[in-house]
Amino acid sequence: MASIAQPGEATHTDAAHPGSRVSEGVAARIEQDALGARAIASTALYGIHTARAVENLSFSSRRLGDYPTYVYALGAVKQAAARANAAAGVIHGRLAGAIVAATTPLLSGELREHFPVDLLGGGGSIGVHMNVNEVLANVANEHLGGRRGDYVPVHPRRHVGASQSTADVCHTALRIAIVKRAAGLASALDNVSTTLEDRARAFAAVPTLARTCLQDAMPTTLDVLCGGYAALTRRRTAALQRAVDALLNVAIGGTVIGTGAGAPQAYRERVIPLLAEITGCPLVQPANLPDALQNSDDIRSVSAELAMLAEALIKIAQDLRLLASGPRGGFAELVLPRVQEGSTFFVDKNNPVIPETLLQCAFQVLGCDRVVQAAVEHAELYLNVFDGLAAINVLDAVDMLTRALRAFEMHCLRALQVDEPRCRALAAAARA
């Protein structure tokens, strides 16, 4: 895949990347918009609006195609919209059928290379919506015997985007994507909690020394600590799930500012039930659609729960580092599984690399939460144009935590051991 060219490198848009350039001899087509004409590689499924979005709005390297669950959700929204538009008589059934067929690759994770827009680019996710509309229009037209870039008979805006706006499409798809991705995190958290409960049972008969303020306190058993960790992760999992469930309120049908302007009532009545059927999610319309598009506090609530989960994991990971410290000059109560050499200098050291990885993941999640906070704080008037920024950071946090927790449970918690003689000596000293 071609890289994004620097300004002034060449003259045409590249097949793999709008914003890079077509090499001499590569076939191109000419597309036109209100700003003028532009060459687009003939093999590209995106069009001129996507090319301009990549050129003008890119900075983060977070490309739409790198977020397959979001692409899936956008495809589901577009399929539901096409079916609702056909039922409402907004677009002809033949065109709607071609659009529905065009969404199939998106639902199955294909065509990701044709979604190059930067997810953090400005404009309230306009680049994302343009990219999806153009790809679906071109695929639909090929189903009907047309050519890429002609947008006949299916037009990206008039047909693929009928009865919709960027605001309600992206608002809805982002929430579906988070709901879907959060299921993996919930599974990882359940495994962590279950393994912590198992470790608590295994350590129930091991006496040790409790400490408060990092000072000796009283004799106890190690299950007291591990059981507390399990209860903490269970509680945070339940709280996170409640926040995620609130995202099932989706704004599709509200169009630009939640009034439904430009979308007939027949479409609005059908689109959410159809979308629920396609995604398998129990989606509902918010009680107040303008509120849903003006305010992203539902996303903020999920992010806040992720941040509290991160803080809880910091506590657990830090404790494991302390309790495994040593082995001669530290606490030395726990023995972490050795998964790799921890030092290039001290070859025999068993550094706590997995807990430290979890710590660094948690720090990143807290950074994502700060971005979400800023995106919500800067909402203004009739639409929070930073809703996409907030949601993408939540998706990033969810995925980082999912991966880190899977590694933590598999490579640390499962084989976590106790230095029983050390623990018994500490408990005996506390009783003396």
Side-chain angles (χ1 to χ4, degrees), residues 392-412:
I392 292 303
N393 274 274
V394 166
L395 281 171
D396 285 347
V398 166
D399 284 349
M400 286 189 292
L401 282 167
T402 302
R403 290 190 292 267
L405 284 169
R406 285 173 178 163
F408 182 60
E409 190 273 332
M410 182 180 300
H411 301 306
C412 182

Side-chain angles (χ1 to χ4, degrees), residues 92-108:
H92 191 278
R94 175 172 171 265
L95 303 187
I99 295 169
V100 168
T103 65
T104 301
L106 276 62
L107 299 184
S108 58

Side-chain angles (χ1 to χ4, degrees), residues 340-360:
Q340 66 183 66
E341 292 183 0
S343 170
T344 58
F345 192 87
F346 301 105
V347 178
D348 292 332
K349 283 182 70 179
N350 183 20
N351 286 347
V353 293
I354 300 298
E356 287 174 352
T357 298
L358 183 60
L359 283 168
Q360 294 186 175

Side-chain angles (χ1 to χ4, degrees), residues 257-320:
I257 61 170
T259 62
Q265 185 64 30
Y267 164 88
R268 297 174 64 191
E269 291 172 352
R270 289 172 170 82
V271 68
I272 289 181
L274 285 168
L275 185 55
E277 172 193 314
I278 294 163
T279 61
C281 297
L283 305 170
V284 295
Q285 187 179 87
N288 188 308
L289 274 169
D291 165 46
L293 292 172
Q294 290 168 26
N295 304 299
S296 303
D297 53 309
D298 56 343
I299 295 289
R300 178 74 186 97
S301 293
V302 175
S303 184
E305 292 298 341
L306 291 170
M308 283 190 280
L309 171 60
E311 292 160 358
L313 296 173
I314 287 170
K315 162 66 163 62
I316 295 170
Q318 285 185 155
D319 281 2
L320 294 187

